[in-house]
Amino acid sequence: MSIPGVNNRMTRITNIRWMPVLFLLPSVLCYLLFKYYPLLSMVRVSFFRYSIVNPPGEFIGLANYTEFLTSSTFWQAVSNTFVFFALYLGLTFWIPIVQALLLSDIRKANAFFRFMYQLPTIMPAVAGVLVWKWMYNPDFGLLNYWLHFFGLGPYMWLNDLNITKLAIVLPAVFAGNGISLLLYYSAIKSIPTEILEAAKVDGASPWRRMWTMLLPNIRFIIVIQFIAFMSGVLLAYDNIYVMTQGGPAGSTTVVSMLVVNTAFQQSRFGISGAMSLFMFFVIALLTVLQNKISAEKD
Amino acid sequence: MKKKIRLSAASMLLLTVALTTAACGGNNGNGNGNASPSTNTAPENNAAASDSESPSASAQEDAVEIVVWDKPSADAADKAFKEEAFAAFEAKYPNIKVTHVEQTKEKEREQFMTAVAGGEQPDLYKNPYPDMESYIAQGIAADITDLWNGFEGKDGYLPSSLNAATVDGKIYGVPNDMYVTGLLYNKQMFADAGLDPAASLKDWDSFGAAAQKMTDASKGTYGYAILGMDWADWFFEYYVWQAGGDLTEKQPDGTAKLTFTSDATIKALQYYKDLKFKYKATQKNVVQSLDDNQKDFYTGRAASMIAGSDWIGGLVAKGMDLNNIGFSALPAGPSGKAPSQVGGSYWILNPKSSPEKQQAAFTYATYMTSKEYLQSVLQYNKDNGMFPNLLSVRTDVAVTDYVDGLPAEVVSGVQAAAKDTHLEYFLKARLSPYIVKPIQEALLNEKADLKSVLQTAQDLAQKEVVDKYNEEVKK
């Protein structure tokens, strides 16, 4: 005797294509193990005065959260993080967009230019930062040496509290992101040429074509890139660490650095987890806001 | 056909899972894949050999396996020597099997703390003095008082070498090595400037003037390599001591009191600022790394720098002429005194290891600091033209017997520096970032109001560290 409801469910189950599921399983398991398990552990740890020897230690509720939220060191790091965000946004984010727009108009040697833009990506990022750090050296760095030919400097770069942040961002201005450029370029090239040609025939200027046709058509890529850029900058660690280790005088200590230092230098894993969770929510909130604004515009 | 494809796909899946598992998994560092500390004794491994009548075979029946983070790197000059020493230990103690694990050369503390947090703390680990306070408080270093008191060879160690590992009468570490800090100077640069080192290094004023005289921007040389990076408090504390104070005080009840705004600290910070802005005797890049400071010194750019007595060998290895190196006690400050810092490292035991493993780890640590072993190290250094650390944790090892052509001033300088020594300031591990900030502000901003920046740093450290610490202590 067959039961119709059960049979339907069985059919649905047997109709699932199990092979792709099985192939995906290892990566999903690794993702759960190395992404979600640490994330959930971090949430749990953030409610404890974590004991590294006898984990998890004493349950203290929200005390870790109140502690960092009332700590001026934390807010200084948050401020530094957002100043970096503003600097990176203002000085670097738009550069690959402009480069892609210009590149899309170049007919001759286009492949050569695309290749040349990608070439610097073969250099490891940290190696690039080390080279810049050497160039910034106020005692014998190349940058001051070059600038003096133009009557500029000497500047103290990483030794000047007023310009240290700018000095950290500056390399990204000159060594832009080649991959982003390629993405924008591909998005521009995917716009139907008839539309652009029609606009040209109708007498739309290059400026007008850029604002009314090119940019709106690649907005999806810009939004995706912006979300990746935002989380990348708000969680930046390696280039700042290599350049200044968070100094001088804490002027470049960002939240991610504070999280690492609190955990591994002070062995305070609970509060470190709480701060990480805070940053997770900040980035999530900004991403949602960004998506909402973008959806409204659409 | 469809079945064949499915079989082939299933095989690929198995292969993928196997590869993923291999990639995701990892060796836990003890080499045998056994994570449980209490089960590392491996009598079963020796069961096959138990029929043998040989003493080593019977000893292996009770073999204890320990993990020690002391494997030399592949490019270490003394790799072969160390491996011979490991083999000699195992021959002498066949019942102790040591798994030697190599540690990273940078971020060692972070690597160790990650291992502790992950339940992979080695049975024996070597760490510097300043970490002892924190490791003892967190229960990372085992109490070895009974092992130490029952150890016949304990009288061979300098009593003072145990100071940084002793809390409330309990001992937490086996002394491994020691150094004393002082001022290293380039004799040639002093001579070229017509300066007498003894007179120049007498006090703060004479040193500032001498360092200024040796600074010549056109030659790219300067008088004093100051440490202003994120370890700036390490050497700055000496200046506070020289001014008659300290950065913190440990109260009789175990609580901490901050003294960032004491007269001594303000005077010390003013002197730091003067070295940079009044005497203009330091490098411009005051936040450069300690390695860069050393490089400036051995390449003849910097005329002087603070250093440990165990650094001289490294400088000679980098090509500096031993006869050109002077070592002196630090210039005296306003208090008329010039205390230096004593530092070094200890072997600490994992408190979670079984008693058998702890005993084995203790045996290994004491072997590696025995008179015979340290003498063999000194002889090896001598045979290979390597300059040794001039201080030893042992009373029965005469380091100077193993150095040829050692300038008498260096020996007398180290002895003078060792006359008045301090341990680093109390609660350093947690307070360091708070005091580094005003030091860097003083070195980078000529207009910085020192009292104000120190007060701000003290208020912040009081609120964020000391109040909480004192509460915990009083519980």
Side-chain angles (χ1 to χ4, degrees), chain A residues 146-189:
Chain A
W146 288 335
L147 288 173
H148 99 272
F149 290 115
F150 303 97
L152 298 169
Y155 300 107
M156 296 304 284
W157 303 113
L158 302 174
N159 280 249
D160 185 335
L161 291 168
N162 299 313
I163 60 168
T164 313
K165 288 189 188 79
L166 182 68
I168 287 173
V169 176
L170 209 54
V173 176
F174 294 106
N177 190 337
I179 301 294
S180 299
L181 182 146
L182 216 56
L183 285 171
Y184 291 129
Y185 178 79
S186 305
I188 292 168
K189 284 294 166 192

Short mmCIF file of all heavy atoms in Angstrom, two decimals, chain A residues 146-189:
data_model
loop_
_atom_site.label_atom_id
_atom_site.label_comp_id
_atom_site.label_asym_id
_atom_site.label_seq_id
_atom_site.Cartn_x
_atom_site.Cartn_y
_atom_site.Cartn_z
N TRP A 146 64.55 62.06 -3.89
CA TRP A 146 63.94 62.48 -5.16
C TRP A 146 63.23 63.82 -5.00
O TRP A 146 63.33 64.70 -5.85
CB TRP A 146 62.94 61.43 -5.64
CG TRP A 146 63.55 60.17 -6.15
CD1 TRP A 146 64.81 60.02 -6.67
CD2 TRP A 146 62.95 58.89 -6.18
NE1 TRP A 146 65.02 58.73 -7.03
CE2 TRP A 146 63.90 57.99 -6.76
CE3 TRP A 146 61.72 58.39 -5.80
CZ2 TRP A 146 63.64 56.64 -6.94
CZ3 TRP A 146 61.46 57.04 -6.00
CH2 TRP A 146 62.42 56.18 -6.55
N LEU A 147 62.50 63.95 -3.89
CA LEU A 147 61.69 65.15 -3.71
C LEU A 147 62.54 66.41 -3.60
O LEU A 147 62.10 67.50 -3.95
CB LEU A 147 60.78 65.00 -2.47
CG LEU A 147 59.62 64.03 -2.64
CD1 LEU A 147 58.88 63.82 -1.32
CD2 LEU A 147 58.63 64.54 -3.70
N HIS A 148 63.77 66.25 -3.10
CA HIS A 148 64.58 67.45 -2.91
C HIS A 148 64.95 68.10 -4.25
O HIS A 148 65.21 69.29 -4.33
CB HIS A 148 65.81 67.15 -2.03
CG HIS A 148 67.08 66.94 -2.77
ND1 HIS A 148 67.45 65.70 -3.23
CD2 HIS A 148 68.07 67.80 -3.11
CE1 HIS A 148 68.61 65.80 -3.85
NE2 HIS A 148 69.02 67.06 -3.78
N PHE A 149 64.91 67.31 -5.33
CA PHE A 149 65.17 67.89 -6.66
C PHE A 149 64.04 68.85 -7.06
O PHE A 149 64.22 69.72 -7.91
CB PHE A 149 65.28 66.79 -7.72
CG PHE A 149 66.52 65.96 -7.57
CD1 PHE A 149 66.46 64.62 -7.25
CD2 PHE A 149 67.79 66.54 -7.75
CE1 PHE A 149 67.61 63.86 -7.11
CE2 PHE A 149 68.94 65.79 -7.61
CZ PHE A 149 68.86 64.44 -7.28
N PHE A 150 62.87 68.65 -6.45
CA PHE A 150 61.73 69.54 -6.75
C PHE A 150 61.54 70.59 -5.66
O PHE A 150 60.50 71.24 -5.57
CB PHE A 150 60.44 68.71 -6.89
CG PHE A 150 60.53 67.65 -7.94
CD1 PHE A 150 60.83 66.34 -7.62
CD2 PHE A 150 60.34 67.98 -9.29
CE1 PHE A 150 60.93 65.36 -8.60
CE2 PHE A 150 60.43 67.00 -10.27
CZ PHE A 150 60.73 65.70 -9.93
N GLY A 151 62.55 70.71 -4.81
CA GLY A 151 62.47 71.71 -3.74
C GLY A 151 61.50 71.30 -2.63
O GLY A 151 61.04 72.14 -1.87
N LEU A 152 61.19 70.02 -2.56
CA LEU A 152 60.24 69.55 -1.53
C LEU A 152 60.98 68.78 -0.43
O LEU A 152 62.00 68.17 -0.66
CB LEU A 152 59.19 68.64 -2.16
CG LEU A 152 58.30 69.29 -3.23
CD1 LEU A 152 57.49 68.22 -3.95
CD2 LEU A 152 57.37 70.31 -2.60
N GLY A 153 60.37 68.80 0.76
CA GLY A 153 60.87 68.00 1.87
C GLY A 153 62.04 68.65 2.59
O GLY A 153 62.32 69.83 2.37
N PRO A 154 62.74 67.90 3.44
CA PRO A 154 62.50 66.49 3.72
C PRO A 154 61.28 66.28 4.60
O PRO A 154 61.00 67.11 5.47
CB PRO A 154 63.77 66.06 4.46
CG PRO A 154 64.25 67.30 5.14
CD PRO A 154 63.88 68.44 4.24
N TYR A 155 60.57 65.20 4.34
CA TYR A 155 59.42 64.83 5.16
C TYR A 155 59.81 63.66 6.06
O TYR A 155 60.67 62.85 5.71
CB TYR A 155 58.24 64.43 4.27
CG TYR A 155 57.80 65.54 3.35
CD1 TYR A 155 58.08 65.50 1.99
CD2 TYR A 155 57.13 66.65 3.86
CE1 TYR A 155 57.70 66.53 1.14
CE2 TYR A 155 56.74 67.69 3.02
CZ TYR A 155 57.03 67.62 1.66
OH TYR A 155 56.66 68.65 0.85
N MET A 156 59.13 63.60 7.21
CA MET A 156 59.47 62.53 8.16
C MET A 156 58.63 61.28 7.94
O MET A 156 58.86 60.26 8.57
CB MET A 156 59.29 63.04 9.60
CG MET A 156 60.22 64.18 9.98
SD MET A 156 61.95 63.75 9.74
CE MET A 156 62.21 62.69 11.13
N TRP A 157 57.66 61.36 7.05
CA TRP A 157 56.81 60.22 6.69
C TRP A 157 56.30 59.45 7.89
O TRP A 157 55.46 59.96 8.62
CB TRP A 157 57.54 59.30 5.70
CG TRP A 157 57.99 60.01 4.46
CD1 TRP A 157 59.26 60.27 4.06
CD2 TRP A 157 57.14 60.60 3.44
NE1 TRP A 157 59.29 60.97 2.87
CE2 TRP A 157 57.99 61.17 2.48
CE3 TRP A 157 55.77 60.69 3.25
CZ2 TRP A 157 57.53 61.84 1.34
CZ3 TRP A 157 55.28 61.35 2.12
CH2 TRP A 157 56.16 61.92 1.19
N LEU A 158 56.83 58.27 8.14
CA LEU A 158 56.29 57.43 9.22
C LEU A 158 56.71 57.92 10.60
O LEU A 158 56.31 57.36 11.62
CB LEU A 158 56.73 55.97 9.03
CG LEU A 158 56.32 55.34 7.70
CD1 LEU A 158 56.94 53.96 7.54
CD2 LEU A 158 54.81 55.27 7.58
N ASN A 159 57.52 58.98 10.65
CA ASN A 159 57.92 59.57 11.92
C ASN A 159 57.14 60.84 12.22
O ASN A 159 57.48 61.56 13.15
CB ASN A 159 59.41 59.90 11.91
CG ASN A 159 60.28 58.69 12.18
OD1 ASN A 159 60.90 58.59 13.22
ND2 ASN A 159 60.29 57.75 11.26
N ASP A 160 56.17 61.15 11.40
CA ASP A 160 55.39 62.37 11.61
C ASP A 160 53.95 61.96 11.90
O ASP A 160 53.26 61.40 11.05
CB ASP A 160 55.46 63.23 10.33
CG ASP A 160 54.76 64.57 10.52
OD1 ASP A 160 53.86 64.66 11.38
OD2 ASP A 160 55.11 65.52 9.80
N LEU A 161 53.52 62.27 13.12
CA LEU A 161 52.18 61.84 13.55
C LEU A 161 51.08 62.37 12.63
O LEU A 161 50.01 61.77 12.52
CB LEU A 161 51.91 62.32 14.98
CG LEU A 161 52.76 61.63 16.07
CD1 LEU A 161 52.63 62.38 17.39
CD2 LEU A 161 52.34 60.19 16.24
N ASN A 162 51.35 63.49 11.97
CA ASN A 162 50.30 64.11 11.13
C ASN A 162 50.15 63.45 9.76
O ASN A 162 49.11 63.58 9.14
CB ASN A 162 50.60 65.60 10.92
CG ASN A 162 50.60 66.33 12.24
OD1 ASN A 162 49.70 66.15 13.05
ND2 ASN A 162 51.63 67.13 12.48
N ILE A 163 51.18 62.78 9.30
CA ILE A 163 51.08 62.23 7.93
C ILE A 163 51.30 60.72 7.86
O ILE A 163 51.35 60.15 6.77
CB ILE A 163 52.04 62.94 6.94
CG1 ILE A 163 53.49 62.78 7.40
CG2 ILE A 163 51.66 64.39 6.75
CD1 ILE A 163 54.47 63.19 6.31
N THR A 164 51.41 60.08 9.02
CA THR A 164 51.69 58.63 9.00
C THR A 164 50.60 57.86 8.26
O THR A 164 50.91 56.97 7.44
CB THR A 164 51.81 58.08 10.43
OG1 THR A 164 52.66 58.93 11.17
CG2 THR A 164 52.40 56.69 10.43
N LYS A 165 49.36 58.20 8.55
CA LYS A 165 48.26 57.45 7.90
C LYS A 165 48.31 57.64 6.38
O LYS A 165 48.16 56.68 5.63
CB LYS A 165 46.91 57.94 8.44
CG LYS A 165 46.63 57.51 9.88
CD LYS A 165 45.20 57.84 10.24
CE LYS A 165 44.92 57.63 11.71
NZ LYS A 165 45.40 58.72 12.56
N LEU A 166 48.53 58.87 5.98
CA LEU A 166 48.61 59.16 4.55
C LEU A 166 49.75 58.37 3.91
O LEU A 166 49.61 57.82 2.81
CB LEU A 166 48.82 60.67 4.34
CG LEU A 166 48.85 61.14 2.90
CD1 LEU A 166 47.49 60.98 2.25
CD2 LEU A 166 49.30 62.59 2.82
N ALA A 167 50.86 58.30 4.64
CA ALA A 167 52.03 57.58 4.11
C ALA A 167 51.71 56.09 3.94
O ALA A 167 52.25 55.44 3.03
CB ALA A 167 53.23 57.76 5.04
N ILE A 168 50.85 55.57 4.78
CA ILE A 168 50.49 54.14 4.65
C ILE A 168 49.59 53.92 3.43
O ILE A 168 49.69 52.91 2.74
CB ILE A 168 49.82 53.64 5.95
CG1 ILE A 168 50.86 53.51 7.06
CG2 ILE A 168 49.11 52.31 5.74
CD1 ILE A 168 50.31 53.19 8.42
N VAL A 169 48.73 54.91 3.16
CA VAL A 169 47.77 54.77 2.05
C VAL A 169 48.43 55.05 0.70
O VAL A 169 48.05 54.46 -0.32
CB VAL A 169 46.56 55.72 2.28
CG1 VAL A 169 45.59 55.68 1.11
CG2 VAL A 169 45.84 55.35 3.57
N LEU A 170 49.41 55.91 0.72
CA LEU A 170 50.03 56.39 -0.53
C LEU A 170 50.46 55.28 -1.50
O LEU A 170 50.20 55.39 -2.71
CB LEU A 170 51.22 57.29 -0.19
CG LEU A 170 51.56 58.39 -1.20
CD1 LEU A 170 50.35 59.26 -1.50
CD2 LEU A 170 52.72 59.23 -0.69
N PRO A 171 51.09 54.20 -1.04
CA PRO A 171 51.49 53.16 -1.99
C PRO A 171 50.31 52.63 -2.80
O PRO A 171 50.47 52.29 -3.98
CB PRO A 171 52.06 52.05 -1.09
CG PRO A 171 52.52 52.76 0.13
CD PRO A 171 51.57 53.90 0.32
N ALA A 172 49.12 52.56 -2.18
CA ALA A 172 47.95 52.04 -2.90
C ALA A 172 47.50 52.99 -4.00
O ALA A 172 46.83 52.58 -4.95
CB ALA A 172 46.81 51.79 -1.93
N VAL A 173 47.86 54.26 -3.89
CA VAL A 173 47.50 55.23 -4.94
C VAL A 173 48.33 54.95 -6.19
O VAL A 173 47.81 54.94 -7.30
CB VAL A 173 47.76 56.68 -4.45
CG1 VAL A 173 47.48 57.67 -5.57
CG2 VAL A 173 46.91 56.99 -3.22
N PHE A 174 49.62 54.69 -5.95
CA PHE A 174 50.52 54.51 -7.10
C PHE A 174 50.52 53.07 -7.63
O PHE A 174 50.76 52.84 -8.79
CB PHE A 174 51.94 54.93 -6.72
CG PHE A 174 52.04 56.39 -6.45
CD1 PHE A 174 52.16 56.88 -5.17
CD2 PHE A 174 51.96 57.29 -7.50
CE1 PHE A 174 52.23 58.24 -4.92
CE2 PHE A 174 52.02 58.66 -7.26
CZ PHE A 174 52.15 59.13 -5.96
N ALA A 175 50.31 52.14 -6.73
CA ALA A 175 50.28 50.74 -7.17
C ALA A 175 48.85 50.25 -7.04
O ALA A 175 48.49 49.53 -6.13
CB ALA A 175 51.22 49.90 -6.32
N GLY A 176 47.99 50.72 -7.97
CA GLY A 176 46.56 50.41 -7.90
C GLY A 176 46.27 48.93 -8.07
O GLY A 176 47.16 48.13 -8.35
N ASN A 177 44.99 48.60 -7.92
CA ASN A 177 44.59 47.21 -7.96
C ASN A 177 44.28 46.78 -9.40
O ASN A 177 43.25 47.13 -9.97
CB ASN A 177 43.35 47.05 -7.07
CG ASN A 177 43.01 45.60 -6.86
OD1 ASN A 177 43.38 44.75 -7.66
ND2 ASN A 177 42.32 45.33 -5.77
N GLY A 178 45.17 46.03 -9.98
CA GLY A 178 45.03 45.60 -11.37
C GLY A 178 43.83 44.71 -11.60
O GLY A 178 43.19 44.76 -12.65
N ILE A 179 43.51 43.88 -10.61
CA ILE A 179 42.37 42.96 -10.76
C ILE A 179 41.07 43.76 -10.84
O ILE A 179 40.19 43.48 -11.67
CB ILE A 179 42.32 41.97 -9.56
CG1 ILE A 179 43.61 41.17 -9.47
CG2 ILE A 179 41.10 41.05 -9.68
CD1 ILE A 179 43.85 40.22 -10.63
N SER A 180 40.94 44.79 -10.00
CA SER A 180 39.73 45.63 -10.03
C SER A 180 39.59 46.27 -11.40
O SER A 180 38.50 46.32 -11.98
CB SER A 180 39.81 46.73 -8.97
OG SER A 180 39.91 46.17 -7.71
N LEU A 181 40.70 46.77 -11.90
CA LEU A 181 40.69 47.41 -13.22
C LEU A 181 40.15 46.45 -14.28
O LEU A 181 39.30 46.81 -15.10
CB LEU A 181 42.10 47.84 -13.57
CG LEU A 181 42.29 48.58 -14.89
CD1 LEU A 181 43.39 49.61 -14.75
CD2 LEU A 181 42.63 47.65 -16.03
N LEU A 182 40.62 45.20 -14.20
CA LEU A 182 40.20 44.21 -15.18
C LEU A 182 38.70 43.92 -15.08
O LEU A 182 38.00 43.77 -16.10
CB LEU A 182 40.98 42.92 -14.94
CG LEU A 182 41.38 42.11 -16.17
CD1 LEU A 182 42.18 42.95 -17.13
CD2 LEU A 182 42.17 40.88 -15.74
N LEU A 183 38.19 43.88 -13.84
CA LEU A 183 36.75 43.63 -13.63
C LEU A 183 35.92 44.77 -14.22
O LEU A 183 34.94 44.55 -14.92
CB LEU A 183 36.45 43.48 -12.14
CG LEU A 183 36.87 42.16 -11.50
CD1 LEU A 183 36.73 42.23 -9.99
CD2 LEU A 183 36.03 41.02 -12.05
N TYR A 184 36.34 46.00 -13.91
CA TYR A 184 35.60 47.16 -14.42
C TYR A 184 35.67 47.19 -15.96
O TYR A 184 34.69 47.47 -16.63
CB TYR A 184 36.16 48.47 -13.86
CG TYR A 184 35.91 48.65 -12.38
CD1 TYR A 184 36.95 48.98 -11.51
CD2 TYR A 184 34.63 48.52 -11.84
CE1 TYR A 184 36.73 49.14 -10.16
CE2 TYR A 184 34.40 48.69 -10.48
CZ TYR A 184 35.47 48.99 -9.65
OH TYR A 184 35.24 49.16 -8.31
N TYR A 185 36.86 46.90 -16.46
CA TYR A 185 37.05 46.92 -17.91
C TYR A 185 36.12 45.90 -18.58
O TYR A 185 35.46 46.20 -19.58
CB TYR A 185 38.52 46.61 -18.24
CG TYR A 185 38.80 46.55 -19.71
CD1 TYR A 185 38.98 47.72 -20.44
CD2 TYR A 185 38.91 45.33 -20.38
CE1 TYR A 185 39.23 47.67 -21.81
CE2 TYR A 185 39.17 45.26 -21.72
CZ TYR A 185 39.33 46.45 -22.44
OH TYR A 185 39.58 46.38 -23.78
N SER A 186 36.05 44.69 -17.99
CA SER A 186 35.18 43.65 -18.56
C SER A 186 33.73 44.09 -18.50
O SER A 186 32.96 43.84 -19.45
CB SER A 186 35.34 42.34 -17.77
OG SER A 186 36.67 41.98 -17.74
N ALA A 187 33.34 44.72 -17.39
CA ALA A 187 31.95 45.18 -17.26
C ALA A 187 31.63 46.23 -18.32
O ALA A 187 30.55 46.20 -18.94
CB ALA A 187 31.73 45.74 -15.87
N ILE A 188 32.58 47.14 -18.55
CA ILE A 188 32.35 48.18 -19.57
C ILE A 188 32.22 47.55 -20.96
O ILE A 188 31.36 47.90 -21.75
CB ILE A 188 33.51 49.22 -19.54
CG1 ILE A 188 33.46 50.01 -18.24
CG2 ILE A 188 33.42 50.17 -20.75
CD1 ILE A 188 34.69 50.84 -17.97
N LYS A 189 33.09 46.57 -21.19
CA LYS A 189 33.07 45.94 -22.51
C LYS A 189 31.80 45.11 -22.75
O LYS A 189 31.46 44.79 -23.90
CB LYS A 189 34.31 45.03 -22.69
CG LYS A 189 35.57 45.82 -22.95
CD LYS A 189 35.47 46.51 -24.31
CE LYS A 189 36.50 47.57 -24.51
NZ LYS A 189 36.25 48.41 -25.69
#
